[in-house]
Amino acid sequence: MEKKIFIKTFGCQMNEYDSNRIYDSVKKLGFLKSNDQEKVDCYVLNTCHIRDKAKEKVYHEIGRVKKLYKQKAKPIMIVAGCVAQAENEEMFKREPYIDIVIGPQSYHKINDILKKFVNNQKQEETDFDTVNKFNYFERVENKNSSVSAFITIQEGCDKFCHFCVVPYTRGPECSRPFNQIINEVEKLIENGAKEIVLLGQNVNAYSYMESSKEYRISNLINKLESYSELKRIRYTTSHPRDMTDDLIDCYSTSKKLMPFVHLPIQSGSNKILKLMNRKHTVETYIDIYERLKKINSAIEFSSDFIISYPGESEDDFNDTLDLVKKIRFINSFSFIFSPRPGTKAANLNLIDKEISKERLLKIQEHLSKNQLRMNESLINKSIDVLVENKIDGQSKLFGRNMYMNSVIFNGEIKNIGKELKIKIDKVNKNSLFGEIEKKNNKRAA
Ligand code: SF4
């Protein structure tokens, strides 16, 4: 009999990718994806451990599900993702409503776990078994056929920044076989993908050895370049230390690699970078920026910033502010430091809350200014937009420019999947608005 499954996904694109692969996998057992979270047989929370109070948020979510199903048959309750990995069987003690706890590197076992789930026998699976996960998902077709499709090429991290849980929740760096990725990319293109986003916790550390040859992310980008149906290539998230020459060269050789680099720096002070164990300096970061700008002046950077990391003085903070003014980052993320249990920075002395809030406001003000300045510079210009979707309930379409900004304009659904020239007439900080440029898009409407 047909059963329904709903997955609520938190956090990064890698979790979104994983959720889609779980849907693909459990289909074999007759579980069909549902968007109605109130009437399912299996409810999955795919969790994220990056933000503050992640664990508490998961228990809160389960409380909500319990209320939804108070008068109905209980769904199989699965907690997946990084909180599951970090908390493992402890979760059953705190919340008996949970039936299955499964870490991100064990998703290839999900069908077996569900099959065994009889007599409400609770199961926990949190091994770091990345190679088998990759091999399993190679055999399950990726049905994620959106215009912009994600594909995980690498998981885990060996860098051990002192504030971060990823090395503990996703395990050591592990790269997928080159040909496995290419096979999946070809399927995605056949299913209509026009943009491929290569994903990894340290995506530019991708390194796969076969017959004494090392395949790097630059090899993947060069291969993707050769598919005529593919219009755009992106990758995220990268580490400054892995911005090697071959990857930088791709920005001169590839026409499809978008001129938008999301490269987290976290702080503009070398003292703080050292305390964070980031393994790069502000100078090496600026050097990467300048080399890329020299190749293509249209390249723009975005970044992540941790404000008020323990030990950050006013001078350190001002160094970060200076860097934001120099590089003019767009589309960036900034947060006040909050400790993650189990990390080296978990028990450090925190900076005063009011000072931290002031610093965050200041940096966000500058980042917003950069963003608005960038968007305003596009007014009255025609820009390339990859059309991704229709906006629900409206006759408008949604797409993205090369810097990942949303662009909204009137148009027909036949344009989904096309790259169109859109003349921008209005902007705000988050979105651009315009009309299809008639003379350049004669067949578009
Ligand atoms: S490099 Fe990124 S994923 Fe790895 S520990 Fe540092 S912040 Fe976390």
Side-chain angles (χ1 to χ4, degrees), residues 43-294:
Y43 196 111
V44 185
L45 288 174
N46 191 359
T47 60
C48 169
H49 211 311
I50 292 290
R51 300 279 166 260
D52 203 10
K53 301 192 180 78
K55 191 168 73 176
E56 293 316 308
K57 280 181 193 153
V58 173
Y59 291 114
H60 179 81
E61 272 296 319
I62 295 168
R64 206 181 52 78
V65 178
K66 272 161 104 175
K67 272 192 206 148
L68 286 179
Y69 286 84
K70 210 171 172 186
Q71 314 290 348
K72 304 175 205 160
K74 173 188 181 305
I76 302 170
M77 183 78 222
I78 303 184
V79 181
C82 292
V83 174
Q85 185 70 43
E87 296 298 309
N88 49 60
E89 71 255 21
E90 287 301 306
M91 300 200 90
F92 297 132
K93 287 189 204 146
R94 166 119 181 234
E95 181 47 270
Y97 198 78
I98 301 170
D99 299 305
I100 293 167
V101 172
I102 182 164
Q105 312 308 7
S106 303
Y107 294 152
H108 54 294
K109 297 179 187 160
I110 190 124
N111 283 19
D112 286 340
I113 290 173
L114 274 169
K115 269 192 243 162
K116 276 195 237 148
F117 184 78
V118 280
N119 305 326
N120 291 336
Q121 208 185 327
K122 295 189 185 293
Q123 290 176 71
E124 182 262 343
E125 195 58 69
T126 47
D127 287 347
F128 286 133
D129 197 5
T130 321
V131 173
N132 283 328
K133 173 182 167 182
F134 288 155
N135 290 341
Y136 174 79
F137 279 115
E138 194 199 4
R139 300 193 297 273
V140 182
E141 197 187 336
N142 186 347
K143 294 282 185 194
N144 174 21
S145 58
S146 48
V147 171
S148 175
F150 302 137
I151 175 162
T152 292
I153 64 164
Q154 177 277 346
E155 289 205 30
C157 180
D158 300 337
K159 310 275 191 303
F160 288 91
C161 299
H162 286 172
F163 53 82
C164 182
V165 287
V166 166
Y168 311 100
T169 55
R170 291 272 176 168
E173 285 172 7
C174 179
S175 295
R176 280 180 84 177
F178 184 83
N179 285 330
Q180 207 180 81
I181 297 167
I182 295 305
N183 288 342
E184 195 171 321
V185 162
E186 287 178 355
K187 284 271 157 21
L188 289 168
I189 293 174
E190 255 172 56
N191 289 341
K194 303 291 178 199
E195 173 178 275
I196 294 288
V197 186
L198 304 172
L199 299 178
Q201 267 94 26
N202 272 285
V203 73
N204 55 344
Y206 176 82
S207 167
Y208 185 73
M209 290 297 297
E210 195 172 87
S211 313
S212 320
K213 175 173 163 49
E214 186 192 13
Y215 291 88
R216 299 189 49 78
I217 189 170
S218 55
N219 300 101
L220 280 168
I221 291 169
N222 290 335
K223 177 72 185 163
L224 263 55
E225 185 77 18
S226 68
Y227 293 99
S228 57
E229 307 90 325
L230 198 65
K231 296 179 192 302
R232 293 181 170 191
I233 305 166
R234 300 184 190 272
Y235 61 90
T236 195
T237 291
S238 38
H239 191 284
R241 215 181 59 168
D242 296 309
M243 289 300 293
T244 47
D245 292 349
D246 54 324
L247 176 54
I248 290 178
D249 284 348
C250 286
Y251 286 88
S252 47
T253 54
S254 169
K255 290 191 172 57
K256 297 178 181 174
L257 184 59
M258 290 292 99
F260 179 56
V261 183
H262 179 69
L263 190 62
I265 184 164
Q266 310 297 359
S267 170
S269 151
N270 280 334
K271 182 190 105 189
I272 297 300
L273 290 178
K274 199 152 185 230
L275 288 174
M276 288 174 166
N277 193 32
R278 282 290 292 173
K279 301 185 176 83
H280 64 84
T281 62
V282 176
E283 289 72 25
T284 52
Y285 190 97
I286 292 175
D287 180 58
I288 295 165
Y289 171 76
E290 287 175 347
R291 286 174 66 194
L292 284 170
K293 275 293 213 193
K294 222 183 243 172

Side-chain angles (χ1 to χ4, degrees), residues 377-405:
S377 74
L378 299 174
I379 291 180
N380 290 328
K381 294 209 173 108
S382 278
I383 59 169
D384 289 325
V385 172
L386 178 62
V387 188
E388 290 191 20
N389 229 324
K390 183 182 178 307
I391 299 184
D392 281 347
Q394 294 183 35
S395 59
K396 295 197 182 295
L397 297 177
F398 161 87
R400 287 188 192 274
N401 70 351
M402 56 194 178
Y403 303 128
M404 287 291 279
N405 293 120

